[in-house]
């Protein structure tokens, strides 16, 4: 399968829409990645760290109580059990090892929920790399525990005051830093977005999610699942789960975006409500106004609060390989409680979007087997939940 | 006026171009026409007019703040074109339009160039559209006879330079630094060398931008290039002075001081 093509396109989506300063450096990155991914030493050290350090493979857990209640067979792919608490560590390890191989000593990254920032700070500490993390000032407030974690790990957290002060602006700031320091600095992008080769590279580094889930479900059920379900921010945990099932046409993919306050108001549903556009390095679905200005996104889950999405998802959407739905803030919080109360697993608010979607899915699909990517754990979100509850009480 | 004719004229006068960048709509859409006229009276040889974009990832804080303000004050591509329409009859120097790709993509590439032609725009530059992604853009630009300016930076290798100069018309934009827009020190020696290299591969004028913010730098840069592009310091001047009574006169004088006229 040749997705993306040589120019970094998934069908009509992808590419490299970047300032000239980055052209040669992206080419360098592409070459490095293409050679290291075939390099047995590189593969060995990546799988060593994934297994021994991050905690792969993660379990595919049969969630008995919610399955019973919903009339579905629900399996949870437990990325929340990984070191640092989310799937982000898979990608951070892969790219940091690549950075090390390329001889870069400084790593920069953007973060929304802080999970990617924590993962990057962690691997930088492990591999002895200097680390600067850009984070929207709004998210710095929302995710204080993760800010503290990054600092404890030795990273420098830089609050971004421009724009909506969330992930998109942190991303712009990281790009600006990269344009300035491109010769010495590795930009460790946190999702399957940005210019080629990032969407491909991040997908590959997240693919263990789907590769493991596929063999685990075959072992447990003797067959492939009917549905794969995952939340979509930039689209990395979902593409990591979906991609290894790409050729299994009987397996349906559902990506769940954030409907925020509702699809008529502020939300982050780029695939459901956006239009094709060029944003932060690639051509993909994006939330924009009639003049091509990028809109501010909103989600109760900071990791979904992003107006763009990875180009591979745009391709899946247009080619109908996957379906995309949206779940509101209130519904996500309901999903958060549902899993916590029935299974004793507190999900990240991002993942709680996918969990909630089990309910509407169950209505027409009794007895079907579903794998949900539990992309992260919810410890980081307790402050948001507290505030959410207080607001509801006041109403 | 076309860039080609401007550079011919400058050659006769034996001097480099002074190119002034301002974002359309800053501080508000109705201000741009008079700002452009002040820049011309102050001695600007070319105006680089920006279409503001919400996520200007190659711009530093000064221009970023200005374009954010422009958008907040209602700048959009429709108003941009009507501003060009009002400048059409009164401005005599060439206009080059600078922007990011998405506003063009959304507007429609062909439609965009058609409008530029209508308002006699000479050239266009798109910060986040490298050569590799510009097939359709180039096709439409050629159809409507608009010059396409591409960038060369300190990280561009020789192979790329060869390809870039082939698709460039008007002038080559040499970015003096790796980095974003905003006042910087300029490494004259290194840039001189790079420009000599580019001149071996192309007959196009080469202008230098990013970082230039003083009259002294403009003069230095124009010793070894065909033009100096100044953005952030003009924008900063506008920000600091636009609510003063004789703002347009001040801007004219400030422009004149930058190009030493
Ligand atoms: C736990 C968790 N899940 C999901 C996401 C969304 O990102 P993606 O769509 O790239 O998986 C994030 C992003 O921060 C996250 O922290």
């Amino acid at each position: 399968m040749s997705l993306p093509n040589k120019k970094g396109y998934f069908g009509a989506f992808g590419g490299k829409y970047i300032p000239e300063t980055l052209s040669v450096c992206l080419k360098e990155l592409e070459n490095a990645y293409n050679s290291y991914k075939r390099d047995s030493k590189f593969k060995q050290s990546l799988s060593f760290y994934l297994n021994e350090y991050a905690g792969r493979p993660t379990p595919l857990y049969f969630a008995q109580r919610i399955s019973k209640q919903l009339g579905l067979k629900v399996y949870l792919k437990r990325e929340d059990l990984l070191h640092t608490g989310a799937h982000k560590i898979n990608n951070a390890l892969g790219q940091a090892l690549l950075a090390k191989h390329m001889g870069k000593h400084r790593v920069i990254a953007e973060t929304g929920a802080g999970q990617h920032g924590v993962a990057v700070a962690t691997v930088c500490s492990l591999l002895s790399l200097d680390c600067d993390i850009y984070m929207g000032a709004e998210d710095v407030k929302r995710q204080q525990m993760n800010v503290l974690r990054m600092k404890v790990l030795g990273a420098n957290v830089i609050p971004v005051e421009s724009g909506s002060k969330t992930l998109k602006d942190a991303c712009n700031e990281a790009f600006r830093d990269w344009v300035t320091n491109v010769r010495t600095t590795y930009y460790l992008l946190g999702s399957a977005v940005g210019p080629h080769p990032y969407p491909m590279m991040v997908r590959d580094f997240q693919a263990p999610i789907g590769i493991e889930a596929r063999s685990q479900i075959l072992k447990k059920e003797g067959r492939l699942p009917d549905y794969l379900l995952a939340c979509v921010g930039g689209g990395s945990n979902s593409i990591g789960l979906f991609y290894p099932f790409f050729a299994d046409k009987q397996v349906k993919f559902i990506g769940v975006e954030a409907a925020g306050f509702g699809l008529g108001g502020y939300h982050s549903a780029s695939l459901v409500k956006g239009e094709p556009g060029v944003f932060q390095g690639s051509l993909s679905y994006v939330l924009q106004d009639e003049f091509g200005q990028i809109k501010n996104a909103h989600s109760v889950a900071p990791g979904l609060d992003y107006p763009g999405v990875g180009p591979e998802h745009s391709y899946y959407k247009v080619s109908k390989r996957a379906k995309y739905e949206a779940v509101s803030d209130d519904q996500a919080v309901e999903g958060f409680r549902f899993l916590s109360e029935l299974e004793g697993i507190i999900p990240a608010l991002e993942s709680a979007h996918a969990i909630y979607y089990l309910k509407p899915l169950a209505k027409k699909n009794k007895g079907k087997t579903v794998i949900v990517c539990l992309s992260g754990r919810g410890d980081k979100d307790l402050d948001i939940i507290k505030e959410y509850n207080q607001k509801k009480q006041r109403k | 006026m076309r860039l080609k004719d401007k550079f011919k004229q400058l050659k006769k006068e034996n001097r480099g171009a002074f190119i002034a960048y301002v974002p359309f709509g800053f501080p508000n859409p109705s201000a741009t026409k008079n700002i452009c006229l002040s820049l011309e009276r102050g001695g600007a040889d070319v105006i680089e007019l920006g279409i503001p974009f919400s996520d200007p990832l190659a711009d530093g804080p000064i221009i970023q703040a200005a374009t954010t303000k422009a958008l907040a004050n209602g700048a959009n591509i429709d108003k941009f074109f009507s501003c060009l329409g009002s400048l059409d009859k009164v401005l005599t120097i060439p206009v080059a339009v600078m922007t990011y790709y998405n506003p063009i993509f959304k507007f429609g590439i062909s439609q965009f160039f058609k409008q530029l032609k209508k308002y006699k725009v000479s050239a266009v530059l798109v910060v986040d559209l490298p050569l590799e992604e510009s097939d359709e853009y180039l096709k439409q630009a050629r159809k409507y006879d608009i010059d396409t300016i591409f960038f060369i930076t300190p990280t561009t290798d020789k192979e790329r330079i060869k390809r870039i100069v082939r698709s460039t018309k008007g002038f080559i934009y040499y970015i003096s630094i790796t980095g974003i827009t905003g006042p910087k020190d300029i490494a004259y020696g290194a840039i001189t060398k790079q420009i000599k290299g580019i001149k071996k591969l192309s007959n196009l004028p080469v202008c230098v931008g990013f970082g230039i913010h003083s009259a002294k730098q403009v003069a230095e840069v124009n010793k070894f290039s065909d033009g100096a592009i100044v953005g952030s310091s003009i924008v900063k001047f506008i920000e600091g002075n636009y609510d003063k009574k004789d703002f347009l006169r001040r801007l004219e004088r400030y422009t004149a001081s930058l190009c030493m006229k």
Side-chain angles (χ1 to χ4, degrees):
Chain A
M1 209 183 318
S2 58
L3 272 180
N5 70 12
K6 270 223 171 76
K7 280 187 77 183
Y9 276 85
F10 304 85
F13 303 99
K16 282 184 189 171
Y17 294 83
I18 36 130
E20 174 58 28
T21 308
L22 297 178
S23 284
V24 170
C25 311
L26 269 173
K27 192 76 207 163
E28 184 193 346
L29 174 62
E30 198 181 328
N31 292 341
Y33 177 63
N34 283 333
S35 81
Y36 286 125
K37 81 174 170 194
R38 285 185 207 96
D39 180 274
S40 61
K41 264 216 193 106
F42 178 76
K43 284 197 286 195
Q44 255 171 29
S45 65
L46 178 57
S47 76
F48 169 80
Y49 284 114
L50 284 175
N51 300 339
E52 303 293 322
Y53 186 73
R56 301 215 73 89
T58 58
L60 184 71
Y61 167 71
F62 177 63
Q64 210 173 341
R65 292 190 67 205
I66 61 173
S67 292
K68 196 163 170 210
Q69 188 164 117
L70 295 168
L72 289 172
K73 264 189 170 172
V74 179
Y75 284 90
L76 301 176
K77 183 59 178 160
R78 297 288 307 272
E79 297 299 291
D80 62 314
L81 291 177
L82 286 171
H83 181 43
T84 70
H87 69 292
K88 301 280 178 188
I89 192 82
N90 303 322
N91 171 48
L93 273 171
Q95 287 198 55
L97 286 170
L98 186 61
K100 196 94 186 169
H101 272 285
M102 290 173 73
K104 309 274 179 180
H105 301 292
R106 176 177 180 252
V107 166
I108 55 169
E110 82 298 336
T111 194
Q115 287 306 102
H116 175 56
V118 168
V120 173
T122 299
V123 298
C124 285
S125 144
L126 175 72
L127 301 174
S128 173
L129 294 158
D130 296 333
C131 178
D132 286 320
I133 309 275
Y134 290 93
M135 187 170 188
E138 191 57 39
D139 290 333
V140 168
K141 261 191 266 163
R142 287 200 279 183
Q143 302 273 290
Q144 286 188 15
M145 266 309 159
N146 272 344
V147 173
L148 187 59
R149 285 165 86 193
M150 287 181 260
K151 286 184 178 163
V152 167
L153 290 160
N156 184 22
V157 180
I158 307 166
V160 175
E161 297 286 350
S162 59
S164 58
K165 304 180 191 189
T166 59
L167 183 54
K168 133 177 135 81
D169 310 287
C171 212
N172 285 339
E173 231 33 71
F175 266 111
R176 289 192 181 95
D177 183 321
W178 196 33
V179 173
T180 308
N181 302 298
V182 64
R183 291 193 181 94
T184 55
T185 297
Y186 184 93
Y187 180 16
L188 209 166
L189 217 120
S191 191
V193 300
H196 180 62
Y198 283 105
M200 164 180 84
M201 202 162 69
V202 176
R203 172 200 69 198
D204 292 351
F205 287 138
Q206 293 294 357
I209 303 174
I211 295 170
E212 288 171 14
R214 198 172 181 284
S215 73
Q216 288 165 322
I217 196 80
L218 285 174
K219 215 180 227 164
K220 286 178 198 251
E221 289 285 329
R223 63 184 282 270
L224 292 172
D226 299 299
Y227 288 98
L228 300 178
L229 209 56
C231 69
V232 180
S236 69
N237 86 88
S238 45
I239 210 71
L241 176 66
F242 295 170
Y243 181 67
F245 290 85
F246 186 83
D248 304 312
K249 296 293 176 213
Q250 71 273 35
V251 181
K252 298 192 177 79
F253 303 166
I254 301 177
V256 185
E257 296 194 304
F261 296 135
L263 290 177
Y266 269 127
H267 58 80
S268 307
S270 324
L271 288 159
V272 174
K273 279 282 176 181
E275 287 170 78
V278 171
F279 174 57
Q280 290 181 343
S282 60
L283 171 54
S284 190
Y285 274 75
V286 57
L287 299 178
Q288 55 182 320
D289 70 11
E290 60 183 309
F291 300 111
Q293 306 296 341
I294 309 305
K295 284 191 194 166
N296 285 337
H298 162 80
S299 168
V300 68
L304 302 184
D305 195 343
Y306 182 69
V309 67
E312 192 160 2
H313 284 289
S314 294
Y315 170 69
Y316 282 18
K317 174 189 161 85
V318 183
S319 64
K320 302 208 159 63
R321 181 65 189 90
K323 221 170 73 168
Y324 295 90
E325 303 283 353
V327 155
S328 73
D329 286 355
D330 290 345
Q331 291 169 331
V333 172
E334 195 181 318
F336 179 89
R337 293 204 183 107
F338 182 61
L339 194 69
S340 303
E341 286 166 16
L342 269 82
E343 297 285 351
I345 299 170
I346 303 176
L349 270 172
E350 290 81 11
S351 326
H353 285 72
I355 297 291
Y356 176 84
Y357 192 74
L358 286 167
K359 293 188 180 185
L361 185 72
K363 286 205 176 115
K364 286 187 196 147
N365 291 283
K366 293 285 178 252
K368 298 280 196 225
T369 304
V370 187
I371 295 177
V372 188
C373 186
L374 195 61
S375 58
R377 62 171 182 244
D379 311 32
K380 69 179 180 66
D381 296 318
L382 295 174
D383 282 340
I384 299 180
I385 292 293
K386 194 167 124 191
E387 202 176 304
Y388 179 91
N389 291 342
Q390 284 164 353
K391 259 191 206 146
K392 285 280 140 164
Q393 261 167 16
R394 261 181 260 133
K395 272 187 188 162
Chain B
M1 192 184 199
R2 293 302 296 247
L3 282 170
K4 192 171 68 204
D5 301 318
K6 187 63 174 181
F7 280 105
K8 235 184 249 162
Q9 178 199 330
L10 288 167
K11 192 153 203 170
K12 268 190 214 143
E13 295 172 20
N14 198 20
R15 62 181 184 91
F18 177 76
I19 302 175
Y21 164 87
V22 280
F24 165 71
F26 173 71
N28 55 64
S30 59
T32 299
K33 180 184 169 189
N34 285 330
I35 285 174
C36 291
L37 292 171
S38 282
L39 294 170
E40 180 181 30
R41 279 197 302 273
D45 297 299
V46 177
I47 287 184
E48 195 187 316
L49 194 57
I51 302 174
F53 180 53
S54 53
D55 294 79
L57 54 80
D59 282 303
I62 296 172
I63 290 176
Q64 191 188 4
T67 50
T68 303
K69 188 172 210 163
L71 289 170
N73 289 337
N76 64 40
I77 204 162
D78 292 343
K79 289 185 192 160
F80 168 78
F81 283 123
S82 54
C83 174
L84 283 182
S86 72
L87 280 170
D88 190 6
K89 311 250 161 9
V90 286
L91 197 71
T92 62
I93 55 177
V95 174
V97 168
M98 191 287 256
T99 189
Y100 289 79
Y101 191 50
N102 201 48
I104 301 178
F105 182 80
K106 187 73 173 75
F107 193 77
I109 302 168
S110 162
Q111 196 57 25
F112 178 76
F113 281 108
K114 198 172 160 185
Q115 293 288 86
L116 293 189
K117 183 78 195 167
K118 182 172 160 194
Y119 296 117
K120 306 195 187 69
V121 166
S122 186
V124 57
L125 337 48
V126 184
V127 186
D128 58 350
L129 189 71
L131 202 56
E132 287 77 1
E133 302 292 353
S134 55
D135 290 353
E136 181 61 21
Y137 165 90
L138 282 172
K139 198 175 121 197
Q140 296 298 331
R142 298 295 174 259
K143 181 173 159 196
Y144 289 101
D145 187 30
I146 306 288
D147 292 343
T148 46
I149 294 168
F150 283 93
F151 301 87
I152 292 177
T153 77
T155 59
T156 311
D157 62 29
K158 199 168 167 190
E159 253 339 282
R160 276 186 74 76
I161 294 180
K162 280 188 195 159
R163 283 190 287 131
I164 288 171
V165 298
R166 258 185 263 135
S167 294
T168 301
K169 288 181 177 226
F171 65 84
I172 288 166
Y173 194 129
Y174 185 77
I175 295 185
S176 68
I177 46 165
T178 61
I180 54 180
T181 58
K184 292 266 166 44
D185 290 337
I186 307 257
Y188 301 115
I191 302 174
T192 309
K193 212 172 129 219
Q194 303 249 32
I195 289 181
K196 273 194 189 141
I198 297 169
K199 293 264 184 193
K200 279 190 197 132
L201 301 169
S202 160
N203 295 322
L204 285 164
V206 181
C207 301
V208 181
F210 280 46
I212 305 173
H213 63 285
S214 69
K216 185 167 175 291
Q217 286 176 318
V218 171
E220 280 298 322
V221 163
N222 271 341
K223 283 183 191 159
F224 53 80
S225 77
D226 302 291
I229 304 157
V230 177
S232 293
S233 65
I234 293 174
V235 169
K236 198 169 149 190
F237 185 86
I238 296 173
E239 173 67 45
N241 290 276
Y242 75 87
D243 53 1
K244 301 205 170 122
K245 201 170 80 239
D246 50 350
F247 161 60
L248 291 169
R249 288 288 302 281
R250 279 169 189 258
L251 179 61
E252 184 183 326
R253 280 201 300 273
Y254 180 69
T255 310
S257 77
L258 279 174
C259 55
M260 300 219 197
K261 280 201 174 151

